[in-house]
Amino acid sequence: MGIVCSSLKGLKMNRIYDTIEPNVIDQEMLQKAVEEQGPQEEAGQLAKREGIDFKDVTELQLDFRNILKIDNLWQFANLTKLQLDNNIIEKIEALDSLVHLVWLDLSFNNIETIEGLHALVKLQDLSLYNNRISKIENMDTLQELQIFSIGNNNLTSLENRELAEIKYQYAIDELKQGEAQALAKLEEEQAKQKELDYHKAAYVEYLNGPFLFESMYAEDAEANKLAYLPGMPDLLETYRNKFESVCEKLFAYGLEQYEKRQAEVSTFYKCLQEALAANQEQGRKIILDFENQNVGLLEVVQDMSSFDMAETKLAKYNNDITQLSDTLMMLEMQTVDQLEEIIKDFERNIADLVSTFIENVQGMMAQCRDLENHHHEKLLEISINTLEKIVKSEFEEEIPDDVRMLFVDKDTIVNAVNASHDIHLLKIDNREDDIITKANSWQAVVIEEVHKNEIARNRSRVKEINQYIDHLQEELDNLESLEPVE
């Protein structure tokens, strides 16, 4: 809400109403005001001739009339705009019936208290500028208020902090409302984009509506002309309904198969992780057993009094390291074989899913082509019949000149019908190719990624084993450099 506060310190009213003869709002004043007001000139003229029902008045100007008291406005039940500025009004009252009021001007009066506004719930613009108001109050019901002019009153920032509170609260509320609307719009757009992305991932975007059918006719100028032929509206409507029904089935089938493919991928990676976890656990156990067997080896070697005994102990440790390396490498080879079988099963399952999907897509697209072929035959039949009637001067229906130009001879009309048919078939073929290409591409990418990840995992594991064995070998070399205690 905008608030006009040109001055917080009140200015004493320079209008002393006891020196001016006060007026009351009576029937005569109201009748005259309706007749005089410019924006409703026709209503004013009618009021002069026949009188007017005040319920029909939506705007009323009662400014500069020395009005002391508001009264007799109950007759204006549909009033939306009321001007009472530049009078000598002391109290806001008698406005309860003006429930449709949107704009109210009470500026330049002698009002001391904000009151009598509780019924004006639709009020958007309120001016109390230049009065004697000392406190902002009784405005809780004015939820629609957008503009509030309160300058040049007896308000001070120290005496009444409510002004700042109202001013900024309305500004904050308006900002929050705008932010909420923008957020709601953003969330709606994001939801739509998320849904579209989901449809694209299933390769069936826009097939749950007339998009494909309409795209067939979007660049088909001949079809738009042929639509004027007798019987074409019904024929075209029947074709459209059947075609869109097939597209809807393809759309639902595409989403269903997408979920199956995603479930298969999820199951595969779950099996893969379980196999790897088992391998890692087994590898950790082997290493832990090795380390437990050789714990404290340094102290044992140093405490040995015989060089031969130390050498024998170190030789055994060397054999243990070699055996550990062989065991870990063997375990990794077993893991590779196990994962290879899991990957092969996954490849077969994915290939079956994609193959079945493509086969059914081709079947549904064949249905679309059959519908187009049937429509083409009916259209050609209607066109030939129309040509024969035109040649025999028996065609009485009105058709545009550019349509009639197609019927100069049989070759012209047949070529036009066939050209339209070719465009439609091409659109169907292109959409079918697009779906199949994306499905095959997805299969290739997924399988390639699986093999690439497995190769990288195997190399990383072998490197990890070699680094660990090298570390143990380095420790052995250090032990061999030590001399036993004499």
Side-chain angles (χ1 to χ4, degrees):
M1 180 189 75
I3 299 184
V4 180
C5 294
S6 60
S7 173
L8 291 176
K9 291 186 176 181
L11 296 181
K12 295 298 183 180
M13 301 294 292
N14 57 10
R15 175 180 300 161
I16 308 301
Y17 72 88
D18 55 6
T19 64
I20 305 173
E21 183 178 354
N23 287 329
V24 295
I25 301 177
D26 55 18
Q27 197 73 11
E28 181 181 353
M29 179 186 291
L30 293 174
Q31 186 73 24
K32 185 177 180 181
V34 171
E35 293 174 0
E36 290 178 350
Q37 57 191 23
Q40 293 178 310
E41 185 176 347
E42 293 182 1
Q45 296 299 324
L46 179 62
K48 288 182 179 180
R49 294 195 306 269
E50 304 176 1
I52 189 171
D53 187 348
F54 288 159
K55 291 182 179 180
D56 296 331
V57 177
T58 57
E59 298 183 9
L60 184 62
Q61 298 178 0
L62 294 173
D63 51 335
F64 294 99
R65 297 177 187 269
N66 296 330
I67 297 171
L68 176 63
K69 182 178 180 180
I70 303 172
D71 201 4
N72 293 318
L73 295 178
W74 56 268
Q75 306 167 79
F76 296 83
N78 293 308
L79 204 64
T80 60
K81 183 175 181 179
L82 175 60
Q83 284 185 245
L84 286 169
D85 58 286
N86 289 281
N87 286 291
I88 52 175
I89 297 169
E90 295 181 335
K91 184 178 181 181
I92 305 174
E93 57 186 336
L95 299 176
D96 291 352
S97 61
L98 308 184
V99 294
H100 298 291
L101 207 61
V102 175
W103 191 93
L104 175 61
D105 189 352
L106 286 165
S107 60
F108 294 95
N109 280 285
N110 295 332
I111 299 169
E112 296 183 354
T113 303
I114 299 177
E115 58 187 332
L117 299 172
H118 62 276
L120 309 185
V121 295
K122 295 185 178 180
L123 199 62
Q124 297 179 9
D125 191 320
L126 172 63
S127 178
L128 293 172
Y129 185 83
N130 212 90
N131 278 277
R132 298 177 177 178
I133 297 169
S134 59
K135 185 178 181 181
I136 305 293
E137 59 186 336
N138 302 321
M139 295 178 62
D140 295 342
T141 62
L142 307 185
Q143 297 297 316
E144 300 295 320
L145 197 62
Q146 298 177 11
I147 299 176
F148 179 34
S149 178
I150 192 64
N152 277 13
N153 276 277
N154 294 339
L155 298 169
T156 66
S157 58
L158 292 178
E159 294 174 355
N160 186 10
R161 295 182 184 281
E162 294 182 13
L163 175 63
E165 181 181 346
I166 289 178
K167 174 181 178 181
Y168 292 109
Q169 185 58 49
Y170 276 113
I172 291 172
D173 289 345
E174 186 175 2
L175 180 61
K176 286 182 177 179
Q177 183 179 6
E179 290 178 345
Q181 292 174 347
L183 180 60
K185 184 177 180 181
L186 177 61
E187 290 176 347
E188 181 182 1
E189 292 175 352
Q190 289 176 339
K192 288 181 179 178
Q193 185 59 48
K194 183 178 180 181
E195 184 178 36
L196 177 59
D197 291 342
Y198 174 53
H199 296 169
K200 286 182 176 180
Y203 322 129
V204 292
E205 66 274 16
Y206 305 119
L207 286 178
N208 57 332
F211 180 81
L212 180 57
F213 184 86
E214 291 177 353
S215 70
M216 289 162 35
Y217 285 83
E219 302 172 6
D220 186 0
E222 303 301 339
N224 294 327
K225 297 176 184 178
L226 295 170
Y228 286 95
L229 299 183
M232 277 302 299
D234 291 340
L235 179 65
L236 192 59
E237 184 65 22
T238 300
Y239 175 34
R240 181 189 184 108
N241 291 337
K242 291 181 178 180
F243 191 95
E244 290 182 9
S245 177
V246 175
C247 288
E248 290 281 358
K249 291 178 182 178
L250 176 54
F251 175 79
Y253 176 73
L255 295 183
E256 173 192 318
Q257 291 300 302
Y258 170 75
E259 293 297 336
K260 286 186 176 181
R261 292 193 297 272
Q262 293 302 109
E264 183 61 35
V265 172
S266 177
T267 300
F268 162 72
Y269 278 107
K270 182 179 179 182
C271 292
L272 199 68
Q273 292 304 318
E274 289 176 354
L276 288 174
N279 167 265
Q280 290 169 358
E281 180 61 29
Q282 192 173 356
R284 279 194 293 268
K285 186 177 182 304
I286 292 171
I287 292 174
L288 183 61
D289 290 343
F290 170 83
E291 292 178 347
N292 288 336
Q293 290 173 5
N294 294 283
V295 66
L297 181 62
L298 174 62
E299 291 79 7
V300 172
V301 171
Q302 287 180 329
D303 290 343
M304 286 183 175
S305 58
S306 169
F307 178 81
D308 292 338
M309 293 176 60
E311 188 177 46
T312 302
K313 188 68 175 177
L314 291 176
K316 181 179 181 303
Y317 184 53
N318 185 42
N319 289 334
D320 289 345
I321 293 174
T322 302
Q323 186 176 356
L324 174 64
S325 175
D326 293 340
T327 302
L328 291 177
M329 287 298 182
M330 181 63 70
L331 178 61
E332 173 58 20
M333 290 177 62
Q334 293 173 355
T335 302
V336 169
D337 292 340
Q338 182 183 2
L339 296 184
E340 185 177 350
E341 289 301 317
I342 295 175
I343 292 172
K344 285 181 179 179
D345 288 341
F346 175 65
E347 286 189 58
R348 283 192 294 267
N349 294 340
I350 288 296
D352 289 343
L353 283 173
V354 172
S355 176
T356 301
F357 172 67
I358 290 175
E359 183 179 342
N360 284 291
V361 167
Q362 290 172 329
M364 293 184 195
M365 284 301 185
Q367 293 179 37
C368 290
R369 272 187 288 271
D370 289 342
L371 289 172
E372 169 57 29
N373 290 333
H374 177 73
H375 177 74
H376 171 252
E377 292 172 2
K378 291 291 185 182
L379 176 57
L380 190 58
E381 180 182 339
I382 292 174
S383 299
I384 297 300
N385 291 337
T386 302
L387 176 62
E388 292 175 353
K389 289 182 180 181
I390 291 176
V391 171
K392 296 177 182 179
S393 300
E394 296 176 355
F395 189 76
E396 298 179 353
E397 298 187 32
E398 290 291 332
I399 56 176
D401 291 341
D402 59 342
V403 178
R404 189 173 290 275
M405 290 297 295
L406 296 176
F407 293 90
V408 293
D409 53 47
K410 185 175 180 179
D411 287 342
T412 302
I413 186 59
V414 169
N415 289 339
V417 173
N418 287 340
S420 175
H421 181 50
D422 290 342
I423 290 174
H424 299 174
L425 289 178
L426 181 61
K427 287 288 185 179
I428 296 171
D429 291 345
N430 287 344
R431 189 57 202 270
E432 179 182 359
D433 291 342
D434 180 66
I435 295 174
I436 293 174
T437 299
K438 288 179 178 177
N440 284 327
S441 176
W442 174 83
Q443 177 184 353
V445 169
V446 168
I447 299 303
E448 181 183 3
E449 187 71 17
V450 167
H451 284 288
K452 185 188 298 183
N453 290 342
E454 170 54 16
I455 291 172
R457 185 210 63 80
N458 174 249
R459 288 176 178 172
S460 175
R461 179 57 176 166
V462 170
K463 181 180 180 181
E464 185 181 55
I465 293 172
N466 287 331
Q467 287 177 339
Y468 180 64
I469 297 301
D470 289 344
H471 170 69
L472 295 177
Q473 198 65 50
E474 185 178 347
E475 284 187 345
L476 176 61
D477 293 342
N478 292 334
L479 288 172
E480 289 177 339
S481 66
L482 297 174
E483 295 184 356
V485 178
E486 294 294 339

